[in-house]
Amino acid sequence: MRELTYQQHIQVYDRADELPAELSSLLQKAHEATQTAYAPYSNFKVGAAVLLENGRVVIGSNQENASYPAGSCAERVAIMSASAQYPNVKVKALAIAIKAETLTTTPVAPCGICRQTILEYEMAYRQNIQLILQGETGEIYRIDSAKTLLPLYFSQDDLK
Ligand code: THU
């Protein structure tokens, strides 16, 4: 028997202005995108902003539904919209921010389905996507890839 050990590293920033300028601006756009959330059931508003290799930014927000599973997370709305509007353009980074009924001061990480979705675009373009996470306020997590959040991930490479 032997064990496999996975080690993940996350960079923690106290303030947005410590990030590279394009990433702090992306995070600001994710905060603004929380205002576009349609979240009448949870009142948990999530904003996402995707930075593409061509410099374009595409935003998304969570879109809920009376049939709860029909709703979609902000991250998927943003990254799928980016892929639809700019097919074949690589994704550099994705920022996520929260506006809830009570103040969220810790970063909220993407759900499992969103991690898998972000990973798909990393694998398609063979380029990591940086993740920038913040609550409504408080410290910021900078993560180099969706793979960091998905040890033992399943991808298109497994289908070959
Ligand atoms: N949500 C997101 O948009 N992104 C996440 O990473 C976690 C959850 C949304 C889904 C739902 O509209 C609300 O937050 C509460 O789960």
Side-chain angles (χ1 to χ4, degrees):
M1 196 279 274
R2 64 196 176 91
E3 284 184 1
L4 295 176
T5 304
Y6 294 90
Q7 255 197 331
Q8 316 299 346
H9 297 276
I10 294 178
Q11 293 179 322
V12 182
Y13 293 77
D14 289 328
R15 296 194 327 266
D17 61 14
E18 293 169 0
L19 288 164
E22 67 175 8
L23 296 180
S24 64
S25 144
L26 190 70
L27 180 59
Q28 180 56 35
K29 292 194 169 88
H31 280 287
E32 289 164 16
T34 61
Q35 300 308 315
T36 72
Y38 175 68
Y41 305 105
S42 70
N43 286 319
F44 188 80
K45 297 179 177 176
V46 186
V50 169
L51 175 64
L52 298 172
E53 198 71 40
N54 63 7
R56 297 282 180 166
V57 172
V58 178
I59 61 123
S61 54
N62 53 330
Q63 302 295 317
E64 297 185 346
N65 194 286
S67 171
Y68 294 174
S72 187
C73 292
E75 296 89 323
R76 271 175 291 144
V77 170
I79 204 164
M80 288 179 168
S81 174
S83 181
Q85 293 180 66
Y86 302 99
N88 305 315
V89 180
K90 290 181 180 179
V91 178
K92 281 177 76 176
L94 192 162
I96 304 160
I98 305 299
K99 178 86 175 79
E101 283 170 330
T102 52
L103 186 69
T104 312
T105 55
T106 49
V108 171
C111 79
I113 300 173
C114 288
R115 294 176 196 203
Q116 182 72 29
T117 304
I118 298 162
L119 176 75
E120 180 67 25
Y121 295 102
E122 290 194 358
M123 301 306 286
Y125 299 131
R126 300 282 157 195
Q127 176 168 295
N128 287 347
I129 298 174
Q130 285 190 69
L131 304 175
I132 310 298
L133 316 179
Q134 191 178 33
E136 184 176 345
T137 181
E139 60 188 16
I140 298 154
Y141 290 176
R142 183 181 181 188
I143 303 168
D144 62 343
S145 162
K147 298 187 200 90
T148 302
L149 300 179
L150 263 186
L152 275 186
Y153 58 84
F154 177 80
S155 78
Q156 54 188 247
D157 289 350
D158 297 301
L159 295 172
K160 285 176 187 152

